[in-house]
Protein backbone atom coordinates (compact mmCIF):
# COMPACT_ATOMS: atom_id res chain seq x y z
CA UNK A 1 0.00 0.00 0.00
CA UNK A 2 2.03 2.93 -1.27
CA UNK A 3 5.33 1.17 -0.56
CA UNK A 4 8.29 -0.07 -2.63
CA UNK A 5 10.54 -2.48 -0.66
CA UNK A 6 14.05 -1.28 0.10
CA UNK A 7 15.38 -4.57 -1.23
CA UNK A 8 14.34 -3.51 -4.74
CA UNK A 9 15.95 -0.08 -4.33
CA UNK A 10 19.48 -1.48 -4.10
CA UNK A 11 21.55 -1.83 -7.26
CA UNK A 12 25.06 -2.44 -8.53
CA UNK A 13 26.55 -0.05 -11.08
CA UNK A 14 29.10 -1.68 -13.37
CA UNK A 15 31.47 0.84 -14.97
CA UNK A 16 32.49 -0.04 -18.54
CA UNK A 17 35.04 1.81 -20.68
CA UNK A 18 33.64 3.18 -23.94
CA UNK A 19 35.73 1.81 -26.84
CA UNK A 20 38.03 3.81 -29.09
CA UNK A 21 38.37 6.86 -26.86
CA UNK A 22 41.53 8.95 -27.17
CA UNK A 23 41.62 9.56 -23.43
CA UNK A 24 39.96 8.09 -20.39
CA UNK A 25 40.50 10.99 -18.00
CA UNK A 26 36.88 12.20 -18.24
CA UNK A 27 33.70 10.62 -16.91
CA UNK A 28 32.02 10.70 -20.34
CA UNK A 29 34.57 8.11 -21.51
CA UNK A 30 32.86 5.52 -19.31
CA UNK A 31 29.40 3.98 -19.41
CA UNK A 32 27.63 2.91 -16.20
CA UNK A 33 25.34 -0.13 -16.40
CA UNK A 34 22.96 -0.42 -13.44
CA UNK A 35 22.02 -3.95 -12.39
CA UNK A 36 18.67 -4.22 -10.57
CA UNK A 37 16.92 -7.05 -8.79
CA UNK A 38 15.24 -9.23 -11.46
CA UNK A 39 11.95 -9.68 -9.57
CA UNK A 40 11.78 -5.94 -8.92
CA UNK A 41 12.30 -5.22 -12.64
CA UNK A 42 9.47 -7.60 -13.52
CA UNK A 43 7.08 -5.90 -11.08
CA UNK A 44 8.10 -2.46 -12.39
CA UNK A 45 7.36 -3.59 -15.94
CA UNK A 46 3.85 -4.69 -14.96
CA UNK A 47 3.23 -1.37 -13.18
CA UNK A 48 4.57 0.56 -16.18
CA UNK A 49 2.14 -1.25 -18.49
CA UNK A 50 -0.82 -0.39 -16.25
CA UNK A 51 0.28 3.21 -15.80
CA UNK A 52 0.71 3.75 -19.53
CA UNK A 53 -2.71 2.24 -20.24
CA UNK A 54 -4.30 4.66 -17.75
CA UNK A 55 -2.65 7.87 -18.99
CA UNK A 56 -3.14 7.07 -22.69
CA UNK A 57 -6.77 6.11 -22.13
CA UNK A 58 -7.37 9.47 -20.44
CA UNK A 59 -5.56 11.48 -23.17
CA UNK A 60 -2.98 12.85 -20.73
CA UNK A 61 -0.04 12.27 -23.08
CA UNK A 62 0.63 15.03 -25.62
CA UNK A 63 0.12 13.96 -29.24
CA UNK A 64 3.62 15.08 -30.22
CA UNK A 65 5.25 12.51 -27.92
CA UNK A 66 6.49 9.67 -30.11
CA UNK A 67 8.91 8.17 -27.60
CA UNK A 68 8.75 6.61 -24.12
CA UNK A 69 5.52 4.78 -24.96
CA UNK A 70 4.43 1.39 -26.20
CA UNK A 71 3.79 1.08 -29.95
CA UNK A 72 5.72 4.30 -30.59
CA UNK A 73 9.32 4.35 -31.76
CA UNK A 74 11.94 6.17 -33.83
CA UNK A 75 10.24 4.63 -36.88
CA UNK A 76 7.03 6.48 -36.02
CA UNK A 77 8.95 9.73 -35.58
CA UNK A 78 10.69 9.24 -38.94
CA UNK A 79 7.44 8.47 -40.76
CA UNK A 80 5.70 11.49 -39.19
CA UNK A 81 8.56 13.82 -40.13
CA UNK A 82 8.73 12.49 -43.72
CA UNK A 83 4.98 12.99 -44.08
CA UNK A 84 5.17 16.58 -42.79
CA UNK A 85 8.03 17.45 -45.17
CA UNK A 86 6.51 15.90 -48.28
CA UNK A 87 3.04 17.31 -47.57
CA UNK A 88 4.40 20.85 -47.60
CA UNK A 89 6.57 20.28 -50.66
CA UNK A 90 3.28 20.22 -52.61
CA UNK A 91 2.93 23.89 -51.62
CA UNK A 92 6.54 24.57 -52.69
CA UNK A 93 7.48 25.40 -49.10
CA UNK A 94 10.76 24.68 -47.38
CA UNK A 95 10.60 22.70 -44.15
CA UNK A 96 13.03 24.05 -41.54
CA UNK A 97 13.80 21.93 -38.49
CA UNK A 98 15.53 22.79 -35.24
CA UNK A 99 16.68 19.68 -33.36
CA UNK A 100 17.40 19.99 -29.64
CA UNK A 101 18.33 17.85 -26.65
CA UNK A 102 17.48 18.22 -22.96
CA UNK A 103 20.67 17.89 -20.89
CA UNK A 104 20.86 15.25 -18.13
CA UNK A 105 17.14 14.62 -18.56
CA UNK A 106 16.42 11.61 -16.35
CA UNK A 107 18.54 12.75 -13.35
CA UNK A 108 16.96 16.22 -13.52
CA UNK A 109 13.30 15.26 -13.06
CA UNK A 110 11.95 16.97 -9.96
CA UNK A 111 10.25 14.53 -7.56
CA UNK A 112 7.79 17.04 -6.12
CA UNK A 113 6.67 18.21 -9.55
CA UNK A 114 6.41 14.63 -10.81
CA UNK A 115 4.20 13.71 -7.85
CA UNK A 116 1.95 16.69 -8.61
CA UNK A 117 1.71 15.62 -12.26
CA UNK A 118 0.74 12.08 -11.22
CA UNK A 119 -2.11 13.55 -9.18
CA UNK A 120 -3.21 15.66 -12.16
CA UNK A 121 -3.20 12.50 -14.28
CA UNK A 122 -6.03 11.21 -12.09
CA UNK A 123 -4.14 8.48 -10.25
CA UNK A 124 -5.44 7.21 -6.93
CA UNK A 125 -3.69 8.62 -3.84
CA UNK A 126 -2.34 5.15 -2.96
CA UNK A 127 -0.72 4.92 -6.39
CA UNK A 128 0.76 8.40 -6.01
CA UNK A 129 2.11 7.40 -2.57
CA UNK A 130 3.71 4.34 -4.15
CA UNK A 131 5.63 6.45 -6.66
CA UNK A 132 6.58 8.93 -3.96
CA UNK A 133 8.19 6.08 -2.04
CA UNK A 134 9.61 4.45 -5.18
CA UNK A 135 11.60 7.56 -6.11
CA UNK A 136 13.52 7.89 -2.83
CA UNK A 137 15.86 5.69 -0.83
CA UNK A 138 17.62 4.32 -3.91
CA UNK A 139 21.25 3.33 -3.44
CA UNK A 140 24.01 1.73 -5.43
CA UNK A 141 27.59 0.55 -5.22
CA UNK A 142 30.04 0.91 -8.09
CA UNK A 143 32.16 -1.89 -9.44
CA UNK A 144 35.05 -1.73 -11.88
CA UNK A 145 36.71 -5.05 -12.66
CA UNK A 146 37.26 -6.57 -9.19
CA UNK A 147 36.96 -3.27 -7.29
CA UNK A 148 33.82 -2.38 -5.32
CA UNK A 149 32.91 1.00 -3.85
CA UNK A 150 30.96 1.91 -0.75
CA UNK A 151 27.18 2.27 -1.06
CA UNK A 152 25.97 5.67 -2.28
CA UNK A 153 22.53 7.25 -2.11
CA UNK A 154 21.05 8.19 -5.51
CA UNK A 155 17.87 10.08 -4.72
CA UNK A 156 17.77 12.42 -7.71
CA UNK A 157 15.63 12.22 -10.80
CA UNK A 158 14.26 8.97 -12.16
CA UNK A 159 16.46 5.89 -12.54
CA UNK A 160 16.94 5.48 -16.30
CA UNK A 161 17.47 1.76 -15.83
CA UNK A 162 13.95 1.24 -14.44
CA UNK A 163 11.07 0.06 -16.62
CA UNK A 164 9.06 2.90 -15.07
CA UNK A 165 11.50 5.61 -16.16
CA UNK A 166 10.15 5.97 -19.71
CA UNK A 167 6.48 6.37 -18.84
CA UNK A 168 7.29 8.65 -15.88
CA UNK A 169 9.46 10.86 -18.08
CA UNK A 170 6.68 11.00 -20.68
CA UNK A 171 4.27 12.10 -17.97
CA UNK A 172 6.73 14.74 -16.79
CA UNK A 173 7.02 16.26 -20.28
CA UNK A 174 3.32 16.15 -21.19
CA UNK A 175 2.21 19.28 -19.27
CA UNK A 176 5.36 21.06 -20.46
CA UNK A 177 4.43 20.37 -24.09
CA UNK A 178 0.81 21.44 -23.58
CA UNK A 179 1.94 24.73 -22.01
CA UNK A 180 4.59 25.30 -24.70
CA UNK A 181 2.04 24.66 -27.45
CA UNK A 182 -0.34 27.18 -25.87
CA UNK A 183 2.40 29.82 -25.49
CA UNK A 184 3.43 29.51 -29.14
CA UNK A 185 -0.18 29.62 -30.31
CA UNK A 186 -0.82 32.81 -28.30
CA UNK A 187 2.28 34.34 -29.91
CA UNK A 188 0.99 33.35 -33.38
CA UNK A 189 4.10 31.28 -34.07
CA UNK A 190 3.20 28.46 -36.52
CA UNK A 191 5.39 25.67 -35.22
CA UNK A 192 4.93 21.89 -35.11
CA UNK A 193 6.61 19.81 -32.41
CA UNK A 194 7.86 16.22 -32.32
CA UNK A 195 9.16 14.88 -29.00
CA UNK A 196 11.14 11.68 -28.49
CA UNK A 197 12.21 11.15 -24.86
CA UNK A 198 14.84 13.88 -24.22
CA UNK A 199 15.13 14.90 -27.88
CA UNK A 200 12.78 17.16 -29.80
CA UNK A 201 12.14 18.92 -33.07
CA UNK A 202 10.66 22.31 -33.90
CA UNK A 203 9.27 22.30 -37.44
CA UNK A 204 8.58 25.48 -39.38
CA UNK A 205 7.26 25.52 -42.97
CA UNK A 206 7.42 28.57 -45.19
CA UNK A 207 8.58 29.72 -48.61
CA UNK A 208 11.07 32.01 -46.85
CA UNK A 209 13.81 30.36 -44.77
CA UNK A 210 14.41 33.71 -43.04
CA UNK A 211 10.83 33.71 -41.76
CA UNK A 212 11.17 30.07 -40.70
CA UNK A 213 14.39 30.91 -38.85
CA UNK A 214 12.61 33.70 -36.96
CA UNK A 215 9.88 31.24 -35.92
CA UNK A 216 12.48 28.71 -34.81
CA UNK A 217 14.37 31.38 -32.86
CA UNK A 218 11.24 32.52 -30.99
CA UNK A 219 10.19 28.93 -30.25
CA UNK A 220 13.64 28.05 -28.92
CA UNK A 221 13.65 31.14 -26.71
CA UNK A 222 10.20 30.37 -25.26
CA UNK A 223 11.14 26.72 -24.71
CA UNK A 224 14.40 27.42 -22.84
CA UNK A 225 12.63 29.76 -20.42
CA UNK A 226 9.78 27.31 -19.86
CA UNK A 227 12.15 24.36 -19.37
CA UNK A 228 13.84 26.29 -16.58
CA UNK A 229 10.55 26.31 -14.66
CA UNK A 230 10.48 22.52 -14.97
CA UNK A 231 14.05 22.22 -13.66
CA UNK A 232 15.43 21.32 -17.08
CA UNK A 233 17.96 22.89 -19.46
CA UNK A 234 18.88 22.56 -23.12
CA UNK A 235 22.23 21.15 -24.16
CA UNK A 236 23.02 23.91 -26.65
CA UNK A 237 26.00 22.09 -28.13
CA UNK A 238 23.63 19.44 -29.55
CA UNK A 239 21.22 21.90 -31.18
CA UNK A 240 21.17 21.65 -34.98
CA UNK A 241 19.20 23.20 -37.84
CA UNK A 242 18.16 21.56 -41.12
CA UNK A 243 16.33 22.81 -44.21
CA UNK A 244 14.42 20.45 -46.52
CA UNK A 245 13.59 21.82 -49.97
CA UNK A 246 12.12 20.06 -52.97
CA UNK A 247 14.78 21.65 -55.15
CA UNK A 248 17.82 19.62 -54.14
CA UNK A 249 21.11 21.49 -54.02
CA UNK A 250 19.67 24.92 -53.24
CA UNK A 251 22.53 27.18 -52.17
CA UNK A 252 23.39 29.43 -49.27
CA UNK A 253 20.67 28.65 -46.74
CA UNK A 254 20.80 31.28 -43.98
CA UNK A 255 22.36 30.44 -40.60
CA UNK A 256 20.29 30.55 -37.43
CA UNK A 257 21.78 32.81 -34.77
CA UNK A 258 20.88 31.60 -31.26
CA UNK A 259 23.86 33.29 -29.57
CA UNK A 260 21.70 35.95 -27.90
CA UNK A 261 19.68 33.31 -26.03
CA UNK A 262 22.49 31.00 -24.92
CA UNK A 263 23.01 28.98 -28.07
CA UNK A 264 25.37 29.47 -30.97
CA UNK A 265 25.26 30.45 -34.63
CA UNK A 266 24.00 27.34 -36.41
CA UNK A 267 24.90 26.64 -40.01
CA UNK A 268 22.41 24.29 -41.72
CA UNK A 269 23.57 20.72 -42.14
CA UNK A 270 24.19 19.44 -45.68
CA UNK A 271 21.51 16.94 -46.66
Amino acid sequence: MGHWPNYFKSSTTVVILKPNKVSYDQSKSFHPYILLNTLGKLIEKIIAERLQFHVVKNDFIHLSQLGDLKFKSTTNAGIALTHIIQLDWVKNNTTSILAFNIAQFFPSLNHRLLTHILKKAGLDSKVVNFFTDHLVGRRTSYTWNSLFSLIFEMNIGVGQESALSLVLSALYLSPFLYILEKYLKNLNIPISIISFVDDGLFISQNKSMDISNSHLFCSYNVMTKLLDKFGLIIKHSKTEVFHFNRLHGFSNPPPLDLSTIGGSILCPKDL
Side-chain angles (χ1 to χ4, degrees):
M1 302 295 286
H3 174 69
W4 185 241
N6 289 331
Y7 183 73
F8 294 147
K9 296 181 181 182
S10 297
S11 64
T12 300
T13 302
V14 181
V15 181
I16 304 294
L17 279 69
K18 293 182 180 178
N20 304 321
K21 292 291 182 181
V22 177
S23 174
Y24 289 93
D25 58 355
Q26 297 183 11
S27 59
K28 64 181 181 180
S29 299
F30 302 85
H31 194 98
Y33 289 90
I34 300 179
L35 307 180
L36 295 170
N37 178 276
T38 303
L39 179 59
K41 290 174 66 175
L42 178 61
I43 297 172
E44 284 183 332
K45 189 171 181 62
I46 295 170
I47 297 172
E49 292 275 348
R50 296 293 299 167
L51 178 60
Q52 180 175 314
F53 175 82
H54 173 82
V55 296
V56 172
K57 177 184 176 183
N58 291 283
D59 295 323
F60 193 82
I61 299 297
H62 194 275
L63 289 176
S64 70
Q65 290 180 274
L66 298 180
D68 298 342
L69 301 169
K70 197 172 183 179
F71 306 123
K72 294 187 178 183
S73 65
T74 52
T75 302
N76 298 112
I79 292 172
L81 181 58
T82 302
H83 175 74
I84 291 171
I85 293 171
Q86 294 185 344
L87 191 65
D88 229 48
W89 277 358
V90 176
K91 304 174 185 178
N92 291 320
N93 286 341
T94 296
T95 299
S96 301
I97 296 175
L98 185 66
F100 58 87
N101 172 265
I102 302 175
Q104 294 295 311
F105 177 57
F106 289 98
S108 301
L109 303 188
N110 182 280
H111 290 175
R112 183 176 297 180
L113 178 56
L114 180 56
T115 301
H116 179 71
I117 291 171
L118 291 170
K119 292 177 182 177
K120 287 292 185 180
L123 296 176
D124 185 89
S125 60
K126 294 178 182 177
V127 178
V128 175
N129 289 338
F130 163 78
F131 283 107
T132 302
D133 185 68
H134 179 276
L135 292 168
V136 299
R138 291 178 288 129
R139 54 195 179 275
T140 191
S141 63
Y142 294 87
T143 176
W144 184 8
N145 295 329
S146 60
L147 302 175
F148 288 84
S149 75
L150 299 175
I151 296 176
F152 294 92
E153 297 289 330
M154 38 186 287
N155 290 322
I156 59 171
V158 174
Q160 192 172 352
E161 71 287 346
S162 170
L164 287 165
S165 63
L166 293 179
V167 65
L168 288 177
S169 64
L171 278 167
Y172 195 91
L173 278 184
S174 283
F176 163 78
L177 291 168
Y178 280 114
I179 296 170
L180 176 62
E181 183 180 59
K182 184 177 180 180
Y183 278 7
L184 296 178
K185 184 177 181 180
N186 290 340
L187 292 170
N188 294 317
I189 301 175
I191 284 286
S192 300
I193 306 170
I194 291 180
S195 171
F196 194 89
V197 194
D198 54 350
D199 296 308
L201 302 175
F202 282 135
I203 305 169
S204 178
Q205 296 170 300
N206 201 286
K207 287 182 172 59
S208 168
M209 283 184 280
D210 289 319
I211 293 176
S212 289
N213 273 357
S214 68
H215 292 159
L216 294 175
F217 176 90
C218 293
S219 301
Y220 195 79
N221 188 29
V222 172
M223 177 187 64
T224 52
K225 293 178 180 178
L226 183 58
L227 276 175
D228 183 63
K229 296 179 180 180
F230 279 73
L232 302 171
I233 59 172
I234 286 292
K235 190 169 186 178
H236 295 294
S237 62
K238 285 192 173 183
T239 304
E240 297 178 304
V241 66
F242 305 86
H243 297 293
F244 295 86
N245 190 287
R246 196 169 191 173
L247 300 175
H248 298 289
F250 64 103
S251 60
N252 299 321
L256 176 58
D257 188 358
L258 300 176
S259 59
T260 58
I261 52 176
S264 58
I265 299 176
L266 303 178
C267 295
K269 297 289 184 180
D270 293 328
L271 298 173

